[in-house]
Each structure stands twice: as C-alpha cells, then as structure tokens.
Amino acid sequence: MTPSEIPSLTESARAVLRLLASQGPVTRPKLGSMLELSKPTMSAAVSELSALGLVASRGTERGAIGRTATIYGIGPGAGYVIGIDVGAAQVRAVAYSMDAQPLATVEEIIPDGATTDGIGAVILAVARSVAAKVGKTFRILRSIAVAVPRIVSHSRLGNGQGNSPDAVLHTLRRKIDVPIVLENNVNCAAIGEMHFGAAQGHETFAFLQVGVRVGLGLINEGRLYRGAGGAAGEVGRMPFPWSASEVPCREGLEHYLGSRALVERSRQAWPTEEGEPPNSAKELFALALAGSRPATEAVSRHAADIGRLAAGCIGLLDPGLIVLGGGVGRNTLMTAEVERVAGELAWPTPIAVSTLEDVGTALGAMKLALDYSLGLILREDRHPAVVLPPL
C-alpha cells in the first residue's frame, strides 16, 4: 500500500500513529492516557489503523493488579525505509521499520576508478540487497534517502548529469519506484548523532567531521541548518592561512587538515632513528597509542589545529557541544587537546566523540527517509530540502 493509497486518517488515528512512531510499542491504556483519548475513541483509532496494517499487536503486559493490556506498535503494513551513505570507497545501506527498528545492513566496496555510472550501479545493488534482507514481512518500501559528499540544493541539481549531486542516482531512480531524499553526508551524520549517537538530548550542537576532508553539520533547536543554498557547514572554505604575510587559498584549510596532509607532514618530520614513518593516518595513531614520540607529537599538533577550527565554530555558532567524527576526528587520542585549545581560544565547550563509528551517516539518511515517509502517511508537511521522484 503506497502513501497515496492510504485513506485520510482521523485525527485520533494520526495521533496514535505519530506517538507509536516516536515512542515505540505502548499498551492501549497508556496510549489513551498519553493522548488524553477516551476508551471508545482509542478503540476506534486502533481499529482504524489495524485494518490498514499500520498498527499491530505486540503481545500483552500484565499490570500490578493482575490485569493484562495489549501492547501496540507500528505494523508491518506501514513498511520500511532505507538510508544509504555513498562514501569515497564504499556504499553502506541500512533498512529500518517505521518505528526506527533495525532490519538489515549491507555494505559494498566501490571499485577503483569507478565512473559515475559505476558508482550508481553499486548504489542500486546495495539498495536491492538490503531490501532482499528485509524479506517479506515488511513488503512496502516507502522511500530511500541518500547521503552524498556534495553540496545539495535544487539549484545545484543537474538532471542527473555530470558531477551534480544527483548524478549517481540516475540508475536507482530508474529501477526503484519510490521517492529519493537527497542530502549532504555531513548533514546526515549530524542528524544521526542527534537521534542515535553522542548528541542525544541536545537540541543545538555541531558535528565536526575530520577525515580525508573536513565538514560541519549544524543542528539548531532540533533542526538541521542548511543555509540559503544548502552549503552551510563547508568549513573547508574558511580562509587559510590567515596572516599578515600569507594569502589564503581556496580550500586551503581543508587540504591542510585532511588526513593526507597530516600523514605527509608526519613523514617529512619523522626522525630517521625511529624507523619507517607511517603510511596512513591509521598507522600514525597506532604508533602514537604504542608510545612513539614523533607520532604522539604529530597527533598532538593535529589536535591543536582541529581545536583552532573548533574554536572558530564556537565563536561563530555557540553550539554548546561539538561532536567529532570522521576517520581522524573520532580518535580519542585527540579529544582532550581539541577541547583544551578550543576552550582557550573561545570559551569552554564540551567536545564529544561520535559513538556511531562508520554507520552514523547512513543512520542519519535513514531518519530523513523515515520522517519524510511518515509525513506522507499522516498527510503532514515533513519535506526535506530535496526529494527526487522516480524516473
């Protein structure tokens, strides 16, 4: 059953579905109490939703005086959504039910030298694979959200051509007949942290990703801040270096803070008597953890550099919390130094490390798809910035 085939729900049924989607399974008496609905109204709403497969029984619960109450949750008829993270080396997908319960995860490597069409083929294969893992219980795919390492806005779409953010989705849109939500990958990671990670309970915070590239996702009062053209958070474009004797260059900060430059600086300064220098950021951090002096010094210098960037974000945005992510940013060897430097240059602000590892961006994309799909069912305006129809 597609959203367009679901009849307009009564207000009480919409309230029940909305609460179950956000709270998870609840007994019928608790539902009525939380929504302040009478028993007849509650029964009618549950019957209405159950007939459509949107709500189903999840068993019973025995109360303190021995009475049992039926537990209700989102039903299989509500369907499921998929979140996809298109990374530099792999595509990762997660499938979740409409009450945010995990169903399946799939990851596939992008071949070296893959073209846009080749990456698009991997995205389609991953989407089909994760849908197959879901099985027959949840038959209806409501929508897919895809996180891409690009600035995403309607003005930047190129009809699936060239290097536009939607170019890799041409094959997916042609083969799978559901709406596709498109968003920047760092923005999705910030959403993932707010709902599932280190920023749970925080309405305003910044997610600072430091890896091969740098980026910022800002959540303000519980909502993603995208800026006028979807480019908010492109901190790699901040002028760098900024001094009386040097002229800033475009994306100079991104290149300087990127993991490749970190490794190159470490190799150039590596003492001969310390043996072979590290070939990757992963090797550098492993050496620092093992007590290597030059590795520890390199990591400390990089943490101080990230702390200066964090201080700029604090001074401009006052986020209240910064969550560090990315292959380099979430290494806990740097956290204390980042917090110290940022606090000295701006003001003390908690620095946390992402708890979602590599799946955070896909989880954020999934949450966008879930909110969009629930909005369609409830006839509510929950449209994200960019939604692409099937081709």
Side-chain angles (χ1 to χ4, degrees):
M1 184 187 300
T2 65
S4 61
E5 294 172 334
I6 295 175
S8 182
L9 301 172
T10 61
E11 183 54 42
S12 55
R14 292 170 62 199
V16 169
L17 187 62
R18 194 183 298 116
L19 189 144
L20 289 177
S22 63
Q23 299 290 326
V26 179
T27 63
R28 181 184 290 202
K30 288 180 182 177
L31 271 172
S33 175
M34 294 170 75
L35 296 172
E36 298 183 346
L37 297 176
S38 66
K39 286 185 177 180
T41 302
M42 187 72 239
S43 295
V46 170
S47 296
E48 178 184 348
L49 294 168
S50 298
L52 296 169
L54 299 177
V55 162
S57 169
R58 298 284 185 87
T60 58
E61 178 181 276
R62 185 174 295 277
I65 59 175
R67 293 180 179 177
T68 60
T70 303
I71 301 171
Y72 286 99
I74 298 292
Y80 70 101
V81 296
I82 294 174
I84 298 178
D85 171 21
V86 182
Q90 74 285 316
V91 175
R92 181 178 292 106
V94 296
Y96 272 60
S97 61
M98 291 296 290
D99 54 354
Q101 298 303 305
L103 301 175
T105 302
V106 169
E107 180 179 327
E108 188 168 324
I109 300 298
I110 298 174
D112 291 338
T115 63
T116 298
D117 288 343
I119 298 173
V122 175
I123 295 172
L124 175 62
V126 166
R128 284 177 165 169
S129 180
V130 78
K133 278 192 171 186
V134 169
K136 296 180 179 180
T137 303
F138 295 83
R139 299 184 303 276
I140 304 169
L141 174 60
R142 295 291 179 188
S143 68
I144 299 173
V146 183
V148 294
R150 297 279 189 278
I151 296 172
V152 173
S153 68
H154 281 291
S155 64
R156 294 176 181 270
L157 298 182
N159 297 318
Q161 303 298 314
N163 198 37
S164 61
D166 60 323
V168 294
L169 302 181
H170 183 81
T171 304
L172 183 67
R173 294 173 64 193
R174 191 158 45 85
K175 297 291 187 179
I176 297 184
D177 186 21
V178 297
I180 296 175
V181 178
L182 186 64
E183 185 52 272
N184 170 265
N185 59 343
V186 181
N187 285 345
C188 286
I191 292 169
E193 292 295 335
M194 176 170 60
H195 291 283
F196 307 103
Q200 290 181 82
H202 293 265
E203 289 288 301
T204 298
F205 71 95
F207 174 81
L208 182 57
Q209 179 166 292
V210 184
V212 177
R213 304 171 71 88
V214 296
L216 184 82
L218 177 64
I219 302 295
N220 183 44
E221 296 182 354
R223 296 176 64 88
L224 175 67
Y225 180 75
R226 306 186 75 258
E234 292 294 316
V235 291
R237 302 289 176 88
M238 292 174 65
F240 178 87
W242 199 359
S243 71
S245 59
E246 296 179 81
V247 177
C249 59
R250 183 181 175 86
E251 295 187 349
L253 182 62
E254 181 148 272
H255 293 307
Y256 181 79
L257 286 182
S259 58
R260 293 190 183 95
L262 165 64
V263 173
E264 183 59 31
R265 288 193 298 273
S266 301
R267 290 179 62 84
Q268 290 176 356
W270 199 261
T272 305
E273 63 272 16
E274 292 289 334
E276 283 294 314
N279 289 309
S280 66
K282 184 177 181 180
E283 289 184 15
L284 175 66
F285 282 103
L287 288 168
L289 187 63
S292 164
R293 180 186 57 80
T296 301
E297 291 175 352
V299 168
S300 180
R301 284 194 300 270
H302 198 62
D305 286 333
I306 296 171
R308 294 175 186 120
L309 173 57
C313 297
I314 292 168
L316 186 64
L317 304 170
D318 187 22
L321 170 72
I322 292 181
V323 179
L324 295 177
V328 172
R330 66 171 181 255
N331 195 297
T332 55
L333 290 176
M334 299 194 303
T335 312
E337 182 68 359
V338 172
E339 189 168 42
R340 184 190 70 79
V341 171
E344 287 181 352
L345 293 175
W347 50 84
T349 297
I351 306 292
V353 177
S354 170
T355 59
L356 299 178
E357 299 185 344
D358 294 330
V359 77
T361 301
L363 284 177
M366 178 279 300
K367 189 63 170 62
L368 283 177
L370 194 156
D371 287 345
Y372 170 70
S373 299
L374 188 62
L376 291 180
I377 294 172
L378 294 173
R379 305 290 202 272
E380 294 177 346
D381 184 12
R382 299 189 180 190
H383 286 197
V386 176
V387 180
L388 306 172
L391 291 175

